Amino acid sequence: MMEERSKNFIENEIDRDLKEGVYDTVKTRFPPEPNGYLHIGHAKSILLNYGIAKEYGGSFNLRFDDTNPTKERIEFVESIKEDVAWLGADWEDRLFFASDYFGQMYETARKLIQKGKAYVSDLSAEEIKEYRGTWNEPGKNDPNRDRSVEENLRLFEEMKEGKYQDGEKTLRAKIDMASPNMNMRDPVIYRVAHLSHHNTGDAWCIYPMYDYAHPMEDAIEGITHSLCTLEFEDHRPLYNWVVEEAEFAHPPRQIEFAKLFLRNVVTGKRYIKKLVEDGTVDGWDDPRLVSIAGLRRRGYTPDAIRKFVELAGISKSNATAEMDMLEYCVREDLKQKDKRVMAVLDPVKLIIDNYPEGKSEMLSAVNNPENEALGSREIEFGRELWIEREDFMEEPPKKYYRLYPGNEVRLMHAYFVTCVGFEKDGEGKITAVHCTYDPETKQGSGFEGRKVKGTIHWVKADTAVKVTARLYNNIVDEEKGVYNEEGEVNVNPDSLIVMDQCMIEPSVKDAEPYESFQFVRNGFFCVDAKDSRPGQPVFNRVVSLKSSYKLPSA
Ligand code: ATP
Ligand code: MG
């Protein structure tokens, strides 16, 4: 498939750079800030950067952009590594931390001072903002803008040595206070912050700002193409200024692409964080979230996510993708890969009156007619079965082809049965359905005497294993939209449905975490990695079987 698609605009740019000899290799990176878990949007960036490096025989770095100690934690470093690896983006031995470059960034800042390209400012954050001007009016020069090189070097060193309080001094790049691009109006490149860092501890009390740190990190690693999202387009002149003034021999080039957005889905880190912290969801890996960890726990596969990112495409303008498309991708993938087994989510007893008591027989069932490699299995049949409560109706509407008094259906992989009666409790709830079977109609016997319209699934009552299955709806109340006026998520109160009386074939009970199955007629289900116990799996529904989604025509 990969060969057939036309190249995206980033590949076109890279082709040109290689042809013109701007670069003779391609080096990319994924630069997450370890301040939360990754989500489906990050998957796009990961797979894009990794894919480009592979395609051009270049290299791919995983680099933690850990320059802001307030929100960063080791827990997030570990989760991000796990997620990137799971997606198949192999960084080999190319794992880096921006904080390892603090020394070099400091030395380069001194060099900027020596070149007259940076100065220490005494202005407060407020004042810097005031001096910056607006879109229509130029900014005012910082009163400290013309400090001597010697004084700047001394003050910058004192900043580093802890002589100043947080916010008391900053280092600013000396560019142009009248620039039409606000980012170029002498941006702050270092701040004083007496904070412990997860990697460097208390070694530093000054930290570089993103717009200075990021181009430095790219340049130090020899990145050629720094792929980032559109909101950084206005920062590109500053990116270029930094790598040029720092005098790197082979400066990297920034290219922006559109973020991946999903309609009616929560992706913002701080919103997810809030749902986690107030207990609305069961951690960052709650299966209702589109965090990579949540999708993995739900039962998504890297292949499905790759397909989705490919379908969403790489472009220069923001567009919103539909959750339906993501679901389509995982359904298509699991349709081929998963065994199809029988599980009854909401059971009611089916008793076959003319099947001998105590008798049982083994029937053969193909595991996946679309994938022969998955083989077949034996399932046990007997007099008492569990069937889905909704597969029987006392008074059926038109076009109901399942069980009702007098109607005949096929029991999947087994026999035809005809409903001959039912039992109810005092409240009118059906407690058992009675039927008779026709021994002539055994599946695989070549019986062609008559046809039935309905086929229902079942499990043998005395050997079935009772488990819990969880069905999910969007965590967002779609009618209200993602966020309310206070900027909080509109939570759907029915996003989690717990079915704790499910009956499954015994063949499924020893499944491992992350193993998934198609429960025929009910959807794809994955063994939850957190809540399952040996022999007692808990299932998450990955996705239902049906969808109205159609692939966009090419
Ligand atoms: P924050 O909101 O905290 O800045 P972030 O999502 O931008 O979060 P980063 O860790 O800075 O998080 O992102 C790492 C990389 O992933 C960046 O290069 C960023 O541009 C990219 N990225 C983030 N969100 C998306 C998205 N929705 N689609 C594509 N790429 C994304
Ligand atoms: Mg960011």
Side-chain angles (χ1 to χ4, degrees), residues 400-469:
Y400 184 85
Y401 300 121
R402 292 170 271 167
L403 280 175
Y404 56 87
N407 194 43
E408 186 172 46
V409 302
R410 180 199 304 275
L411 291 177
M412 195 175 282
H413 305 299
Y415 298 93
F416 288 11
V417 291
T418 303
C419 178
V420 295
F422 55 90
E423 295 167 33
K424 270 186 191 178
D425 66 11
E427 273 123 50
K429 193 176 173 194
I430 304 292
T431 51
V433 177
H434 287 265
C435 65
T436 55
Y437 87 117
D438 177 353
E440 300 284 297
T441 59
K442 186 171 177 176
Q443 174 100 339
S445 68
F447 175 78
E448 281 181 19
R450 60 189 183 277
K451 288 199 159 42
V452 288
K453 280 202 163 140
T455 299
I456 66 173
H457 62 277
W458 52 274
V459 291
K460 186 164 184 277
D462 59 351
T463 53
V465 179
K466 196 202 273 182
V467 299
T468 293

Side-chain angles (χ1 to χ4, degrees), residues 286 288 469-475 492-498 540:
D286 186 289
R288 288 166 292 179
R470 301 186 288 217
L471 313 183
Y472 300 104
N473 289 311
N474 194 348
I475 185 93
N492 172 6
D494 300 316
S495 62
L496 171 64
I497 299 158
V498 177
N540 300 326

